[in-house]
Amino acid sequence: MDARLVAPAGAASAVAYFEIRNSGAVGDTLLYADSPEAGISMIRTTGPGRTERVPSVRVPAGGRVRMAPGGLGVVILDPPALAPGVTVDYNLWFRYSGRVTVRTPVVAGTK
């Protein structure tokens, strides 16, 4: 699983992106994501002039979901100071696979 957390200096929020691969024969569903180190998080999607909460994300059998700017991501509301170069643990909670903990590097971003 690829991951990164983009933390713009002085911003009121940050965002984490994950590339989730399902090598199994059965689909799974990402139900939510959290990090005790990063604060309150929610899965969301963005597009031109909109941001919406996403209740779950289907990960097809043998497939993948790639979160990226302008699409799916995990927004962190009121994040603590997160310095580029450190890593934080992120828990991804799936319907069938349960909790998957991912070491997520923090990278610099822009407001």
Side-chain angles (χ1 to χ4, degrees), residues 8-9 12 14 27 31 50 72 77 94 106:
L31 301 173
R50 68 173 175 76
L72 284 173
L77 307 173
F94 294 90
V106 176

Side-chain angles (χ1 to χ4, degrees), residues 92-110:
L92 303 181
W93 296 87
F94 294 90
R95 177 168 286 130
Y96 302 114
S97 301
R99 180 178 71 182
V100 176
T101 301
V102 181
R103 294 290 295 160
T104 307
V106 176
V107 299
T110 58

Side-chain angles (χ1 to χ4, degrees), residues 55-98:
S56 63
V57 177
R58 182 97 173 101
V59 184
R64 70 180 182 158
V65 170
R66 182 181 172 95
M67 297 181 183
L72 284 173
V74 177
V75 68
I76 300 121
L77 307 173
D78 195 24
L82 297 167
V86 301
T87 58
V88 298
D89 284 335
Y90 238 96
N91 299 311
L92 303 181
W93 296 87
F94 294 90
R95 177 168 286 130
Y96 302 114
S97 301

Side-chain angles (χ1 to χ4, degrees), residues 13-26:
S13 65
V15 64
Y17 299 107
F18 302 92
E19 182 173 337
I20 303 167
R21 296 178 202 92
N22 180 352
S23 59
V26 176

Side-chain angles (χ1 to χ4, degrees), residues 24-35:
V26 176
D28 208 344
T29 303
L30 175 64
L31 301 173
Y32 61 96
D34 66 17
S35 171

